[in-house]
Each structure stands twice: as structure tokens, then as C-alpha cells.
């Protein structure tokens, strides 16, 4: 019995090949549909994450470095 290549199989194989080529070229996957975030925009999550890396004294008193 011969196995037929369906359209889904063809698309899946092309996606896998494309992804592996992308990883070889760039070292990681590249997000095409990701929204570009401005560096100047206010981002509370990143600001709060930065406080976690500071020593305990600076985090409690709010002293900026």
C-alpha cells in the first residue's frame, strides 16, 4: 500500500524546513508577527523586574542608581 502525500503533509514539511533554515541563518527563530514595542514606552513589568535585581537596601528605600 502506497502512502500518499497530502496537502497537510506538504505544508508541515515546508514549515519544518523553513524553520530549520531560519534557525541556521539567525541562530534562533524570528518573530514576524510580534508587535514592535517602543523603548520609550512605560512598562511597569520591566521596571518592577529591574528592582528585583537590586540589593535589598536600594529596593526598600527607592534610591536610584
Amino acid at each position: 500500500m502506497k502512502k500518499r502525500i497530502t496537502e497537510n503533509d506538504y505544508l508541515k514539511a515546508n514549515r519544518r524546513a523553513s524553520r530549520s533554515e531560519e534557525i541556521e541563518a539567525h541562530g534562533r527563530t524570528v518573530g514576524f508577527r510580534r508587535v514592535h514595542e517602543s523603548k520609550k514606552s512605560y512598562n511597569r513589568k520591566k521596571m518592577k523586574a529591574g528592582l528585583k535585581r537590586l540589593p535589598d537596601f536600594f529596593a526598600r528605600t527607592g534610591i536610584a542608581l
Side-chain angles (χ1 to χ4, degrees):
M1 186 161 105
K2 293 182 180 179
K3 183 178 178 183
R4 295 181 185 240
I5 298 174
T6 64
E7 186 177 349
N8 286 338
D9 294 335
Y10 178 77
L11 290 174
K12 194 173 187 179
N14 276 338
R15 286 184 187 130
R16 282 185 181 172
S18 173
R19 185 170 189 269
S20 64
E21 289 173 3
E22 185 178 288
I23 290 172
E24 287 176 12
H26 300 287
R28 60 185 177 91
T29 57
V30 178
F32 291 104
R33 293 183 178 99
R34 185 177 58 190
V35 177
H36 182 266
E37 184 177 323
S38 173
K39 293 179 185 177
K40 295 180 182 179
S41 68
Y42 177 77
N43 191 343
R44 181 180 172 88
K45 186 174 182 180
K46 283 188 181 179
M47 291 172 67
K48 292 290 247 182
L51 289 176
K52 290 179 184 176
R53 288 187 235 124
L54 291 175
D56 197 31
F57 171 75
F58 292 114
R60 275 188 273 134
T61 58
I63 297 174
L65 295 176

